Short mmCIF file of all heavy atoms in Angstrom, two decimals:
data_model
loop_
_atom_site.label_atom_id
_atom_site.label_comp_id
_atom_site.label_asym_id
_atom_site.label_seq_id
_atom_site.Cartn_x
_atom_site.Cartn_y
_atom_site.Cartn_z
N MET B 381 18.09 -6.04 16.71
CA MET B 381 17.28 -4.93 16.59
C MET B 381 17.66 -4.22 15.20
O MET B 381 17.21 -3.07 15.00
CB MET B 381 17.45 -4.08 17.74
CG MET B 381 16.98 -4.62 19.07
SD MET B 381 15.27 -4.47 19.31
CE MET B 381 14.98 -2.72 19.57
N GLU B 382 18.57 -4.76 14.53
CA GLU B 382 19.18 -3.93 13.40
C GLU B 382 18.05 -3.49 12.39
O GLU B 382 17.99 -2.34 12.15
CB GLU B 382 20.20 -4.82 12.72
CG GLU B 382 21.04 -4.00 11.63
CD GLU B 382 22.21 -4.75 11.11
OE1 GLU B 382 22.51 -5.78 11.56
OE2 GLU B 382 22.81 -4.14 10.11
N VAL B 383 17.14 -4.41 12.08
CA VAL B 383 16.10 -4.02 11.11
C VAL B 383 15.17 -2.90 11.58
O VAL B 383 14.86 -2.03 10.93
CB VAL B 383 15.34 -5.27 10.61
CG1 VAL B 383 14.49 -5.94 11.68
CG2 VAL B 383 14.44 -4.85 9.39
N PHE B 384 14.95 -3.00 13.01
CA PHE B 384 14.23 -1.93 13.57
C PHE B 384 14.82 -0.67 13.45
O PHE B 384 14.08 0.38 13.03
CB PHE B 384 14.12 -2.35 15.09
CG PHE B 384 13.23 -1.31 15.93
CD1 PHE B 384 11.92 -1.31 16.06
CD2 PHE B 384 13.97 -0.33 16.63
CE1 PHE B 384 11.22 -0.49 16.82
CE2 PHE B 384 13.31 0.56 17.50
CZ PHE B 384 11.92 0.48 17.48
N PHE B 385 16.13 -0.51 13.57
CA PHE B 385 16.72 0.84 13.50
C PHE B 385 17.01 1.20 12.05
O PHE B 385 17.00 2.48 11.63
CB PHE B 385 18.08 0.87 14.26
CG PHE B 385 17.80 0.76 15.77
CD1 PHE B 385 18.19 -0.28 16.52
CD2 PHE B 385 17.21 1.92 16.40
CE1 PHE B 385 17.88 -0.43 17.95
CE2 PHE B 385 16.98 1.97 17.75
CZ PHE B 385 17.31 0.74 18.53
N GLU B 386 17.12 0.22 11.17
CA GLU B 386 17.27 0.55 9.70
C GLU B 386 15.95 1.16 9.23
O GLU B 386 15.96 2.16 8.57
CB GLU B 386 17.49 -0.83 8.91
CG GLU B 386 19.04 -0.99 8.73
CD GLU B 386 19.25 -2.48 8.18
OE1 GLU B 386 18.29 -3.16 7.75
OE2 GLU B 386 20.35 -2.89 8.12
N LYS B 387 14.83 0.74 9.80
CA LYS B 387 13.63 1.27 9.25
C LYS B 387 13.40 2.70 9.75
O LYS B 387 12.84 3.55 9.27
CB LYS B 387 12.48 0.31 9.69
CG LYS B 387 12.45 -0.90 8.82
CD LYS B 387 11.27 -1.84 9.37
CE LYS B 387 11.16 -3.03 8.29
NZ LYS B 387 10.17 -4.08 8.74
N TRP B 388 13.98 2.83 10.96
CA TRP B 388 14.01 4.23 11.54
C TRP B 388 14.65 5.17 10.54
O TRP B 388 14.12 6.34 10.23
CB TRP B 388 14.77 4.25 12.85
CG TRP B 388 14.71 5.22 13.86
CD1 TRP B 388 15.35 6.38 13.79
CD2 TRP B 388 13.85 5.29 14.89
NE1 TRP B 388 15.01 7.23 14.87
CE2 TRP B 388 14.11 6.58 15.55
CE3 TRP B 388 12.83 4.36 15.45
CZ2 TRP B 388 13.44 7.00 16.67
CZ3 TRP B 388 12.27 4.78 16.59
CH2 TRP B 388 12.43 6.00 17.23
N GLN B 389 15.73 4.70 10.02
CA GLN B 389 16.45 5.58 9.02
C GLN B 389 15.67 5.68 7.76
O GLN B 389 15.59 6.80 7.10
CB GLN B 389 17.88 4.97 8.65
CG GLN B 389 18.64 4.81 9.90
CD GLN B 389 19.43 5.99 10.30
OE1 GLN B 389 19.76 6.91 9.45
NE2 GLN B 389 19.67 6.12 11.69
N GLN B 390 15.06 4.57 7.33
CA GLN B 390 14.39 4.60 6.01
C GLN B 390 13.24 5.62 6.06
O GLN B 390 12.75 6.26 5.14
CB GLN B 390 13.79 3.20 5.90
CG GLN B 390 14.66 2.31 4.86
CD GLN B 390 13.84 1.02 4.79
OE1 GLN B 390 12.75 0.91 4.39
NE2 GLN B 390 14.53 0.06 5.25
N ALA B 391 12.60 5.76 7.33
CA ALA B 391 11.44 6.57 7.47
C ALA B 391 11.90 8.00 7.64
O ALA B 391 11.07 8.97 7.88
CB ALA B 391 10.61 6.28 8.76
N LEU B 444 7.39 0.00 7.79
CA LEU B 444 8.40 0.58 8.65
C LEU B 444 8.14 0.44 10.15
O LEU B 444 9.12 0.49 11.03
CB LEU B 444 8.53 2.10 8.26
CG LEU B 444 8.91 2.38 6.86
CD1 LEU B 444 8.77 3.93 6.51
CD2 LEU B 444 10.33 1.79 6.61
#
Side-chain angles (χ1 to χ4, degrees):
Chain B
M381 301 274 292
E382 190 171 350
V383 65
F384 177 83
F385 290 111
E386 269 170 7
K387 287 179 173 177
W388 197 274
Q389 304 281 324
Q390 266 178 57
L444 297 174

